[in-house]
């Protein structure tokens, strides 16, 4: 591509990005800059050590660019990242990958929000979470 971008459309690129030092720095910055959001957005439990206990789910990868030298630029908007427990995160991804209605949704944000609602409903019926 002429502007030096190589998208991050494929899962392989995303997995590679999530191991990069640029993502780790972006992730740390998100937790530092959003102290009022140290709460899992699936089960709603607040975490005092959020940076260690919560993961960030991308509802949009638009801010992520791979450079020609193989490095990354991590310019996600704060609102494109949602904090979740590792387990809650995994349940969201399982639904996004396997749920008949969700896996073909074109908007990752839309699929994420529906998956969160479904996981939350399931947790509510299991353990009485609000
Ligand atoms: Zn959670
Ligand atoms: Zn995720």
């Amino acid at each position: 591509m002429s502007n030096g971008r190589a998208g991050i459309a494929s899962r392989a690129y995303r997995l590679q990005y999530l191991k990069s030092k640029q993502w780790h720095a972006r992730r740390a910055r998100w937790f530092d800059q959003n102290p009022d959001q140290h709460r899992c957005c699936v089960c709603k439990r607040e975490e005092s050590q959020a940076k260690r206990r919560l993961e960030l789910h991308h509802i949009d990868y638009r801010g992520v660019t791979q450079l020609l030298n193989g490095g990354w630029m991590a310019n996600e908007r704060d609102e494109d990242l949602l904090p979740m427990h590792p387990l809650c995160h995994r349940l969201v991804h399982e639904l996004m990958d396997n749920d008949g209605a969700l896996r073909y949704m074109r908007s990752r944000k839309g699929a994420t929000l529906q998956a969160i609602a479904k996981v939350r409903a399931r947790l509510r019926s299991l353990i009485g979470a609000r």
Side-chain angles (χ1 to χ4, degrees), residues 50-102:
K51 206 185 282 190
R52 199 158 62 78
R53 294 204 174 130
L54 298 178
E55 298 177 349
L56 291 178
H57 171 79
H58 284 80
I59 58 171
D60 200 313
Y61 274 99
R62 243 179 297 184
V64 180
T65 310
Q66 188 172 34
L67 305 172
L68 290 174
N69 68 7
W72 297 93
M73 274 171 36
N75 290 325
E76 295 96 333
R77 299 178 306 170
D78 276 357
E79 58 267 36
D80 285 344
L81 300 169
L82 295 181
M84 300 177 185
H85 290 111
L87 176 61
C88 295
H89 194 184
R90 202 162 77 215
L91 294 172
V92 164
H93 274 273
E94 269 172 26
L95 275 178
M96 288 176 68
D97 288 345
N98 300 316
D99 183 276
L102 295 185

Side-chain angles (χ1 to χ4, degrees), residues 2-112:
S2 57
N3 58 2
R5 290 163 145 252
I8 187 174
S10 84
R11 172 175 296 212
Y13 277 108
R14 287 176 193 164
L15 291 176
Q16 199 185 321
Y17 170 64
L18 295 175
K19 291 179 188 151
S20 71
K21 62 177 189 291
Q22 289 85 358
W23 164 242
H24 286 286
R26 176 67 188 95
R27 181 186 179 283
R29 203 165 74 239
W30 189 95
F31 282 105
D32 291 342
Q33 291 176 347
N34 295 279
D36 53 330
Q37 293 182 54
H38 288 189
R39 171 187 295 276
C40 173
C41 69
V42 180
C43 70
K44 302 289 186 185
R45 206 171 72 210
E46 202 166 342
E47 287 295 347
S48 53
Q49 299 185 60
K51 206 185 282 190
R52 199 158 62 78
R53 294 204 174 130
L54 298 178
E55 298 177 349
L56 291 178
H57 171 79
H58 284 80
I59 58 171
D60 200 313
Y61 274 99
R62 243 179 297 184
V64 180
T65 310
Q66 188 172 34
L67 305 172
L68 290 174
N69 68 7
W72 297 93
M73 274 171 36
N75 290 325
E76 295 96 333
R77 299 178 306 170
D78 276 357
E79 58 267 36
D80 285 344
L81 300 169
L82 295 181
M84 300 177 185
H85 290 111
L87 176 61
C88 295
H89 194 184
R90 202 162 77 215
L91 294 172
V92 164
H93 274 273
E94 269 172 26
L95 275 178
M96 288 176 68
D97 288 345
N98 300 316
D99 183 276
L102 295 185
R103 63 186 291 198
Y104 295 112
M105 276 184 74
R106 291 185 55 192
S107 152
R108 185 176 170 87
K109 180 178 184 178
T112 297

